């Protein structure tokens, strides 16, 4: 039982270190299981990269899972029967039904139930309450403690709907968020875990139930290795305020360390990925400079050669979209890039998404809206 952190800034090579270390150990110790637990949308890319780097071009005694996929793997091995799981559409249908049933008990939300998108927002709120283990009783407690009238009304209505939702699905369905609660109960019985090395990669932080699973990993697995994005010029083991740029990374380190200390789990010396320039920016010193100083307010100014950053200004979103479309075509036709190597990132995906769809389709540019 041990815990080890791999720390560094973005693009510093944390994930690459995990891949190379895991592959080397997997070849040397074929009887041991090496599990990568990564976010759901990251599993396929991780599998692809591990296969590419592996000398035998196969995962063999390695596996890549998200927390949810790990749950189903454990349930399958242990023969655990799980009730029917409500998907997003099912949640929305149940919420619409129960909200209608308790409509007369709703003060603030009663007049909004027919508004487009309201049930969808309510579904997202209910899902988040489930992720963080919030019960209807907890909402009542917060409602009693607050002096803000509007917040009190919202908490009251949300509590009524949430309780009705829980009562309606009880003994018939479970939500996707409850799968991890079941996993917490069953995981200690999974024999494969005792001979496993667990790699936690790609997370900026964990929900309470995921911390419970990380605690079980530390108690029952041979070793847990977790990557954390922090600024190594500061002490990552020191707590900081929520306004700090790397609050989530440092909070993760402190929380996992507390769990390890509580159970007397060995904490190994951390791996510090501090190569400069970072691996991701080895061909661009200006981007490496940006990564080290963005939102740091150090007062430093780039004084090197022409940076790999260009600032352009458009009068309207439509003008910006047209410029982006032109740039994408130029990068593909003249610079040899592939469409999958280009990303358009915006703080307002709804508005800019509408502006981008038409010029992209006219130019025949394939795209995926996330």
């Amino acid at each position: 039982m041990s815990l080890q952190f791999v720390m560094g800034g973005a693009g510093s090579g944390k994930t690459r270190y995990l891949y190379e270390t895991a592959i080397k150990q997997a070849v040397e110790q074929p009887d041991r299981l090496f599990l990568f637990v990564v976010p759901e949308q990251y599993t396929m890319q991780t599998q692809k990269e591990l296969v590419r780097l592996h000398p035998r071009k196969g995962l063999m005694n390695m596996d890549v899972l998200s927390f949810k996929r790990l749950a189903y793997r454990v349930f399958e091995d242990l023969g655990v029967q799980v009730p029917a799981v409500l998907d997003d559409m099912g949640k929305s249908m149940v919420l619409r039904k129960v909200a209608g049933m308790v409509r007369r008990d709703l003060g603030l939300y009663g007049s909004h139930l027919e508004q487009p998108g309201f049930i969808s927002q309510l579904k997202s709120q209910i899902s988040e309450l489930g992720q963080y283990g919030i019960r209807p009783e907890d909402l009542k407690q917060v409602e009693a403690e607050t002096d803000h009238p509007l917040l009190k009304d919202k908490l009251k209505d949300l509590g009524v709907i949430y309780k009705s939702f829980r009562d309606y699905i009880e003994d018939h369905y479970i939500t996707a968020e409850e799968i991890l609660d079941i996993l917490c109960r069953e995981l200690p019985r999974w024999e494969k875990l005792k001979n496993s090395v667990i790699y936690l990669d790609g997370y900026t932080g964990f929900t309470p139930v995921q911390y419970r699973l990380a605690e079980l990993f530390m108690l029952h697995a041979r070793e847990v290795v977790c990557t954390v994005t922090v600024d190594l010029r500061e002490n990552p083991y020191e707590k900081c305020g929520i306004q700090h740029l790397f609050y989530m990374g440092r909070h993760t380190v402190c929380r996992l360390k507390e769990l390890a200390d509580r159970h007397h789990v060995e904490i190994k010396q951390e791996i510090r990925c501090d190569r400069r320039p970072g691996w991701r920016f080895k061909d661009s010193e200006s981007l490496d400079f940006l990564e080290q100083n963005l939102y740091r307010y150090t007062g430093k100014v780039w004084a090197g050669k022409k940076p790999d950053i260009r600032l352009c200004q458009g009068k309207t979103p439509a003008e910006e979209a047209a410029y982006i479309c032109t740039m994408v075509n130029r990068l593909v036709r003249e610079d040899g890039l592939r469409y999958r190597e280009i990303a358009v990132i915006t703080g307002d995906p709804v508005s800019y998404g509408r502006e981008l769809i038409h010029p992209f389709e006219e130019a025949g540019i394939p795209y995926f809206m996330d």
Side-chain angles (χ1 to χ4, degrees):
M1 300 189 302
S2 67
L3 170 67
Q4 186 175 38
F5 295 107
V6 180
M7 301 176 174
S12 59
K14 302 184 297 296
T15 298
R16 184 58 177 255
Y17 170 83
L18 284 195
Y19 291 169
E20 293 176 349
T21 303
I23 289 171
K24 181 181 177 183
Q25 292 183 359
V27 172
E28 294 173 352
Q29 305 172 57
D31 59 329
R32 189 165 295 178
L33 182 61
F34 296 84
L35 289 177
F36 278 82
V37 180
V38 300
E40 189 79 45
Q41 69 274 17
Y42 191 39
T43 52
M44 188 66 73
Q45 183 179 340
T46 303
Q47 287 175 336
K48 180 181 176 182
E49 191 66 14
L50 284 170
V51 170
R52 188 182 70 82
L53 293 172
H54 202 290
R56 298 175 186 172
K57 302 304 176 188
L59 296 184
M60 310 300 178
N61 55 333
M62 304 172 70
D63 209 346
V64 180
L65 302 160
S66 64
F67 278 109
K68 191 178 295 184
R69 288 175 64 183
L70 173 64
Y72 284 112
R73 175 70 57 82
V74 173
F75 297 159
E76 183 180 354
D77 288 350
L78 298 179
V80 177
Q81 294 294 322
V82 181
V85 180
L86 274 180
D87 59 10
D88 285 347
M89 181 60 71
K91 283 183 195 173
S92 296
M93 293 172 69
V94 171
L95 278 173
R96 187 170 291 281
K97 181 177 178 65
V98 299
M101 292 165 55
V102 298
R103 188 168 198 158
R104 63 181 61 187
D105 299 323
L106 301 178
L108 189 65
Y109 286 171
S111 58
H112 296 283
L113 292 179
E114 304 304 325
Q115 287 185 356
F118 182 78
I119 293 296
S120 177
Q121 290 293 328
L122 200 56
K123 182 238 342 166
S124 299
Q125 181 69 75
I126 295 295
S127 297
E128 195 161 350
L129 292 174
Q131 279 182 342
Y132 284 86
I134 305 297
R135 301 167 301 170
E137 299 80 30
D138 299 322
L139 293 176
K140 276 191 175 181
Q141 182 180 344
V142 178
E143 179 195 343
E145 292 173 355
T146 183
D147 296 325
H148 198 290
L150 182 59
L151 178 59
K152 189 182 285 286
D153 289 343
K154 286 184 177 180
L155 287 170
K156 177 180 177 295
D157 288 358
L158 186 60
V160 169
I161 294 173
Y162 190 28
K163 185 178 186 306
S164 302
F165 176 81
R166 301 297 315 164
D167 291 343
Y168 187 90
I169 68 172
E170 191 176 13
D171 300 328
H172 299 289
Y173 305 99
I174 62 170
T175 62
E177 292 74 32
E178 292 177 283
I179 291 174
L180 297 188
D181 284 318
I182 301 173
L183 177 61
C184 288
R185 298 198 298 267
E186 303 294 342
L187 190 61
R189 297 198 297 122
W190 194 44
E191 288 297 323
K192 291 181 181 178
L193 182 63
K194 297 173 183 176
N195 194 36
S196 299
V197 177
I198 309 291
Y199 296 100
L200 299 172
D201 185 37
Y203 292 96
T204 53
F206 299 102
T207 63
V209 69
Q210 289 173 343
Y211 275 116
R212 285 164 54 199
L213 288 169
E215 185 177 11
L216 291 171
F217 292 157
M218 286 187 272
L219 285 172
H220 298 284
R222 284 182 172 270
E223 186 177 351
V224 177
V225 183
C226 179
T227 61
V228 187
T229 302
V230 291
D231 190 338
L232 294 177
R233 292 170 289 187
E234 301 173 5
N235 182 5
Y237 295 97
E238 186 178 287
K239 291 184 178 180
C240 60
I242 195 170
Q243 76 282 353
H244 191 278
L245 181 60
F246 291 98
Y247 165 78
M248 297 184 74
R250 285 167 66 167
H251 175 74
T252 300
V253 171
C254 293
R255 183 72 185 277
L256 290 177
K257 185 177 182 299
E258 286 173 6
L259 293 174
D261 290 339
R262 183 187 305 168
H263 298 288
H264 307 290
V265 173
E266 177 192 1
I267 301 177
K268 292 185 175 180
Q269 179 66 36
E270 75 274 5
I271 303 299
R272 301 172 71 90
C273 299
D274 53 4
R275 179 185 185 271
R276 297 262 68 98
W279 287 103
R280 185 181 299 164
F281 312 114
K282 64 183 186 330
D283 297 324
S284 176
E285 293 182 6
S286 59
L287 288 178
D288 184 69
F289 176 86
L290 183 67
E291 189 279 322
Q292 290 186 77
N293 294 281
L294 186 65
Y295 301 126
R296 250 55 71 88
Y297 308 110
T298 58
K300 294 182 179 178
V301 178
W302 172 250
K305 60 184 180 181
K306 185 179 179 182
D308 298 316
I309 301 168
R310 181 187 300 177
L311 298 180
C312 304
Q313 182 179 1
K315 293 181 180 178
T316 63
E319 191 174 303
E320 292 178 70
Y323 175 76
I324 288 169
C325 186
T326 303
M327 286 298 297
V328 169
N329 278 326
R330 187 183 67 79
L331 290 170
V332 171
R333 293 173 182 173
E334 298 178 16
D335 295 354
L337 265 69
R338 297 187 179 187
Y339 290 117
R340 68 183 185 188
E341 297 170 332
I342 301 170
V344 180
I345 302 171
T346 171
D348 185 7
V350 176
S351 300
Y352 278 88
R354 289 195 296 264
E355 297 291 349
L356 284 166
I357 286 174
H358 182 63
F360 272 21
E361 289 181 346
E362 272 199 336
I365 298 174
Y367 62 88
F368 169 71
M369 287 284 182
D370 187 357

